[in-house]
Amino acid sequence: MFLFFHSMLCLNLGLGLASLASAEDRLPINKILKHPTDYQAQVVTVEGHARAVSSLPVHRGTPSCGGGSVYDSQVFALQDKSGTIGISTTGACRPNVIKPVVQSEHLRVRGMVMAEQNDPKGTPLIYAHSIDRVAP
């Protein structure tokens, strides 16, 4: 019985520290914009408000859906006090599984920074792995 409680205590402590660490590793968006090569292919966490939200049409060909249809993909700009960066979501293999992002929603986004090679400016985007709603 002691071993069970010890294991649960360690698990809860570990989860608490992990959430604390993720709250502290947020980057100001301007750091990514000023030095995109420093963050290329790195997973980052940013927080801000959604702007210019667009839903993408249903499309095919994503390996994660086995080449089947992908639903609820979105693109939007995330704005914090320091700047604005583009965010792209992957969508889901079934419709209405993901709660869509709405204009002005306060979000914490964790994802991979990628500067598009075809963009002469090298403007970075974040491909979202997770999106959390932040309470006002």
Side-chain angles (χ1 to χ4, degrees):
M1 190 69 151
F2 173 78
L3 183 58
F4 172 76
F5 286 117
H6 183 264
S7 297
M8 292 307 293
L9 178 64
C10 289
L11 176 65
N12 286 333
L13 217 106
L15 290 174
L17 291 175
S19 64
L20 179 63
S22 67
E24 292 178 0
D25 70 350
R26 285 184 302 234
L27 278 174
I29 290 171
N30 73 340
K31 279 191 158 191
I32 300 167
L33 297 174
K34 285 182 181 177
H35 305 285
T37 56
D38 292 350
Y39 297 99
Q40 177 72 5
Q42 299 294 315
V43 176
V44 299
T45 301
V46 291
E47 186 175 315
H49 290 87
R51 305 283 185 242
V53 179
S54 294
S55 294
L56 300 177
V58 175
H59 56 279
R60 293 190 172 275
T62 303
S64 62
C65 289
S69 296
V70 178
Y71 303 88
D72 303 325
S73 296
Q74 290 184 293
V75 292
F76 59 93
L78 190 72
Q79 181 179 28
D80 69 6
K81 292 177 183 178
S82 70
T84 303
I85 194 165
I87 306 288
S88 176
T89 69
T90 57
C93 301
R94 294 181 303 159
N96 305 317
V97 173
I98 299 172
K99 181 180 177 185
V101 169
V102 296
Q103 183 73 16
S104 300
E105 192 169 23
H106 190 177
L107 306 169
R108 183 174 300 121
V109 177
R110 185 166 176 77
M112 184 174 293
V113 176
M114 298 298 289
E116 297 295 324
Q117 292 180 349
N118 296 336
D119 180 359
K121 296 179 186 176
T123 308
L125 298 171
I126 296 177
Y127 292 94
H129 294 166
S130 66
I131 299 175
D132 296 318
R133 272 67 182 183
V134 178

